[in-house]
Amino acid sequence: GIFGEAQLSALLEQVFTVDQYQAQVVTRRGGKNPVDFAIKLPGRSDSGDPLWLPIDAKFPSDDYERLLDAQQRADVLGAEAAGKALEGRIRLEAKSIAEKYIEPPYTTDFAILFLPTEGLYAEVLRRPGLMEVLQRDYRITLAGPTTLLAMLNSLQMGFRTLALEKRSSEVWQVLGAVKTEFGKFGDVLAKVKSQTESVLNTLSSAEQRSRVMGKALRNVEALTELDSARLIPPDRDMDER
């Protein structure tokens, strides 16, 4: 059991960040039995708690070693008996996992039974119909090291895709807000342009009038500064400035 948990922990560490899974989680409401590990899925239950995918490691080493020993001795009857015992043990473990750790909507409607060696996993797969029975009767999926790693990588890819979709949605919202504000900014620029053009037209008109007045006064003799000061007193404020 300790060996299986260590193997499972190492695989999870390869794929997930520490906040994407948790060890020793009680996944059933009011339960007292913690599963070895549970993955936090993006969806949440109605209560707001994480949706867990339970994974429990099992290593029936005694039954497996008896099977290997009988096979090495070419003991057909012994191998058959050990194989049936191993199959029975796997069924019991699957039933226990289903009863202790599966409880939708707080968990997924299935759990994973992890077998920590490829040899053990291959031996269990050889039992006719065992995989189908575990999935149908107990909602348990078997996984060896390689199979579990593939499952975990698939889950992680799904998490990343979901995160990208959420970020994409946020980006479109920001662009929509920018588009709205840019439209308002365009209206302000149009008003400023209109007002500026009006000022420029007024200045141009004043400049034209100034030229006309200059032409009309061209033949008028200018007064001396003293005579001009008597007719038009100077502005003291302007002089001070």
Side-chain angles (χ1 to χ4, degrees):
I2 295 176
F3 172 71
E5 287 184 32
Q7 287 282 88
L8 179 54
S9 177
L11 289 173
L12 289 169
E13 288 177 2
Q14 287 183 41
V15 179
F16 293 126
T17 59
V18 292
D19 60 339
Q20 290 180 309
Y21 69 96
Q22 189 171 324
Q24 300 300 308
V25 183
V26 176
T27 56
R28 293 182 70 102
R29 300 293 94 177
K32 298 181 180 179
N33 300 300
V35 68
D36 289 340
F37 290 92
I39 298 174
K40 295 180 182 179
L41 298 182
R44 287 182 174 272
S45 65
D46 295 338
S47 64
D49 295 329
L51 178 66
W52 298 108
L53 168 56
I55 307 178
D56 208 51
K58 300 296 180 184
F59 188 33
S61 57
D62 293 341
D63 296 315
Y64 182 50
E65 288 174 0
R66 280 194 290 268
L67 176 60
L68 293 178
D69 181 63
Q71 291 173 343
Q72 290 174 356
R73 292 185 289 103
D75 181 357
V76 177
L77 294 178
E80 183 178 350
K84 289 182 178 180
L86 177 61
E87 181 176 336
R89 177 71 179 278
I90 294 296
R91 286 174 181 261
L92 287 175
E93 297 292 3
K95 182 174 184 292
S96 175
I97 290 173
E99 292 174 349
K100 292 179 179 179
Y101 311 131
I102 299 178
E103 188 178 10
Y106 308 108
T107 71
T108 53
D109 63 353
F110 71 98
I112 297 175
L113 193 166
F114 173 64
L115 301 174
T117 69
E118 296 293 353
L120 174 59
Y121 177 64
E123 197 62 50
V124 172
L125 286 183
R126 290 175 53 192
R127 313 308 301 178
L130 180 57
M131 287 280 287
E132 291 76 10
V133 170
L134 298 182
Q135 291 176 347
R136 183 186 67 244
D137 296 347
Y138 306 116
R139 294 170 294 172
I140 296 298
T141 297
L142 286 179
T146 302
T147 307
L148 182 64
L149 187 59
M151 289 181 181
L152 298 180
N153 279 312
S154 297
L155 281 173
Q156 184 65 292
M157 288 290 290
F159 293 166
R160 290 175 182 172
T161 300
L162 182 61
L164 287 175
E165 289 177 353
K166 289 183 177 179
R167 295 297 300 172
S168 176
S169 175
E170 292 175 6
V171 169
W172 278 113
Q173 290 177 0
V174 171
L175 289 177
V178 170
K179 182 178 179 181
T180 300
E181 292 301 319
F182 189 76
K184 295 178 182 178
F185 182 64
D187 294 339
V188 173
L189 284 179
K191 292 179 181 179
V192 171
K193 179 182 177 183
S194 177
Q195 293 172 356
T196 302
E197 289 177 346
S198 178
V199 171
L200 289 175
N201 290 335
T202 301
L203 291 174
S204 178
S205 178
E207 185 180 12
Q208 290 177 357
R209 295 301 301 166
S210 176
R211 290 198 195 99
V212 171
M213 292 169 65
K215 288 180 180 179
L217 296 173
R218 183 176 300 169
N219 296 324
V220 177
E221 184 179 353
L223 297 178
T224 64
E225 290 185 5
L226 183 60
D227 293 336
S228 176
R230 284 200 301 268
L231 293 174
I232 305 176
D235 188 343
R236 294 182 180 180
D237 292 338
M238 292 293 295
D239 292 342
E240 292 176 358
R241 293 175 186 173

